[in-house]
């Protein structure tokens, strides 16, 4: 070495420090102590490797509710209007039916303050029209009954006249046969008298008498034949009158039925207008009740989506967000698809909520601090967009493990981290599984817990 320093180290001091360092390095007891420590550590490590380890499936998510009615909802107005008054402020607790907002009408057809009275007057007029049409229908029914009665009487009389004319024709036909027979007899007698006159048996006076008698009988035949023709004509006229009478009354009846159909149509139209007016009156009354927007259920007004006075809102537009009071909370956890077959309803879950300090030993849940117990209630049958499956975890009260109710300060949407507790395995197996990336193992195939009915679910 170069002697660059002005200070010199005494050789005696150097020798003394060198001998002291060699003594410490070459102490044989230090090596034995290190060996014993390593032996103890190795033994403890071997013991730890054979300790039981509870396998878990990790999942993250947020707080939600089991019932859809407990989740945040928007309050909407049913009709369009203009904001007149706000009855609540953000963060206020409202009961079911409390007034949230008051609006006024913006449609001109509902501006009239006496609109229900006007509609009732129109309804009374239409009801009078209905009564008039009903009276007209009754009158036409009576007219139809009278026409049918008169028709039967007239038809009966006409049929009697036809029968009389038919009888007259029969009588005249018989009389014609009789006078024709008398004429034939008279002609035969005249022929015999003329033959006897040639033989000198009868006189000319007798011949002339017989000829006169023959002319009289011929005149009777001609008169009877004309009478028969007249009788037949009367029969034809009676038949024509019967048909004409039937046609005339059928025309009158058809006209009356047409008037009745018109009255029935007018009655139906009036009844339809009456129903429409009643519906409109009911709609107006219901609409006026919608000028006040009320809370659909008890809860907190989280945020108002409209502001100011005089602002116009549309039909079905959201005006405020309402968080129902005292919701039944549940943890919404998302797990990998490869872990879902190992989970079934009823599995125990340890939960760590955002804002609550906790120390969690996933393999030894009994020594965890600051976590809360839960039970798997719902397992989705389809995955989400990111390929994970959703679990719904309800609170689990376990006095044996000092598991109490979830904190009352929890809010919907808060973050939560959970561990689904599976079966126990040795620590060495869990290390080997984690190093190889294998999924957790079960002693037997998982079986679904029986689904509770509604009554049991409420009790739980």
């Amino acid at each position: 070495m170069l002697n660059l320093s002005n200070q010199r180290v005494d050789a005696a001091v150097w020798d003394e420090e060198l001998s002291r360092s060699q003594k410490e390095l070459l102490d044989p007891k230090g090596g034995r102590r290190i060996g014993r420590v390593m032996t103890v550590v190795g033994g403890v490590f071997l013991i730890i490797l054979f300790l039981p380890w509870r396998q878990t499936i990790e999942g993250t998510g947020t707080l939600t509710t089991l019932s859809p009615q407990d989740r945040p909802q928007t309050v909407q107005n049913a009709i369009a209007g203009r904001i007149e008054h706000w009855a609540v402020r953000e963060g206020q607790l409202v009961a079911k039916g409390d007034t949230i907002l008051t609006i006024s009408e913006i449609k001109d057809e509902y501006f009239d303050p006496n609109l229900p009275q006007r509609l009732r007057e129109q309804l009374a007029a239409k009801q009078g029209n209905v009564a008039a049409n009903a009276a007209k229908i009754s009158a036409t029914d009576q007219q139809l009954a009278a026409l049918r009665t008169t028709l039967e009487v007239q038809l009966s009389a006409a049929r009697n006249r036809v029968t009389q004319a038919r009888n007259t024709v029969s009588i005249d036909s018989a009389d014609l046969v009789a006078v024709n027979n008398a004429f034939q007899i008279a002609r035969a007698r005249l022929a015999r008298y003329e033959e006897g006159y040639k033989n000198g048996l009868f006189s000319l006076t007798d011949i002339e008498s017989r000829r006169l008698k023959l002319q009289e009988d011929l005149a009777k035949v001609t008169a009877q034949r004309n009478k028969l023709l007249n009788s037949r004509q009367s029969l034809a006229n009676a038949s024509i009158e019967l048909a004409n009478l039937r046609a005339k009354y059928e025309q009158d009846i058809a006209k009356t039925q047409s008037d009745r159909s018109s009255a029935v149509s007018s009655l139906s139209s009036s009844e339809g207008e009456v129903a429409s007016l009643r519906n409109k009156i009911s709609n107006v009354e219901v609409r006026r009740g919608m000028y006040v927007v009320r809370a659909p259920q008890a809860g907190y007004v989280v945020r108002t989506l409209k502001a100011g006075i005089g602002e116009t809102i549309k039909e079905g537009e959201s005006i405020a967000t309402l968080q129902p009071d005292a919701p039944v909370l549940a943890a919404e956890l998302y797990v990998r698809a490869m872990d879902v077959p190992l989970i079934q309803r009823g599995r125990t879950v340890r939960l760590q909520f955002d804002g609550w300090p906790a120390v969690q030993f996933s393999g030894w849940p009994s020594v965890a601090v600051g976590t809360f117990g839960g039970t798997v209630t719902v397992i989705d049958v389809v995955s989400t967009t990111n390929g994970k499956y959703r679990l719904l975890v309800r609170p689990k009260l376990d006095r044996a493990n000092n598991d109490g109710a979830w904190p009352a300060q929890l809010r919907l949407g808060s973050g939560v981290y959970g561990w689904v507790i599976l079966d126990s395995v040795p620590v060495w197996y869990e290390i080997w599984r984690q190093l190889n990336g294998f999924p957790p193992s079960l002693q037997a195939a998982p079986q679904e817990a029986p689904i509770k009915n509604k009554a049991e679910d409420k009790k739980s």
Side-chain angles (χ1 to χ4, degrees), residues 377-443:
T377 303
V378 177
I379 304 175
D380 282 354
V381 296
V382 295
S383 63
T384 58
T385 55
N386 58 3
K388 292 187 176 182
Y389 285 79
R390 187 185 68 153
L391 309 178
L392 289 181
V393 180
R394 293 188 59 181
K396 179 182 180 181
L397 300 179
D398 190 356
R399 296 180 179 178
N401 295 327
N402 295 324
D403 276 341
W406 291 1
Q409 295 81 5
L410 292 178
R411 295 292 183 267
L412 292 181
S414 298
V416 60
Y417 194 87
W419 297 267
V420 181
I421 308 300
L422 299 180
D423 297 336
S424 296
V425 295
V427 174
W428 67 266
Y429 178 84
E430 180 66 15
I431 297 174
W432 175 79
R433 182 187 71 83
Q434 293 286 351
L435 293 176
N436 289 274
F438 292 159
S441 61
L442 297 175
Q443 297 178 358

Side-chain angles (χ1 to χ4, degrees), residues 5-25:
S5 177
N6 295 324
Q7 296 180 357
R8 293 286 185 266
V9 178
D10 190 22
V13 174
W14 179 262
D15 293 338
E16 182 181 355
E17 292 296 330
L18 180 61
S19 61
R20 187 184 302 172
S21 299
Q22 290 176 352
K23 182 178 180 180
E24 293 294 333
L25 288 176

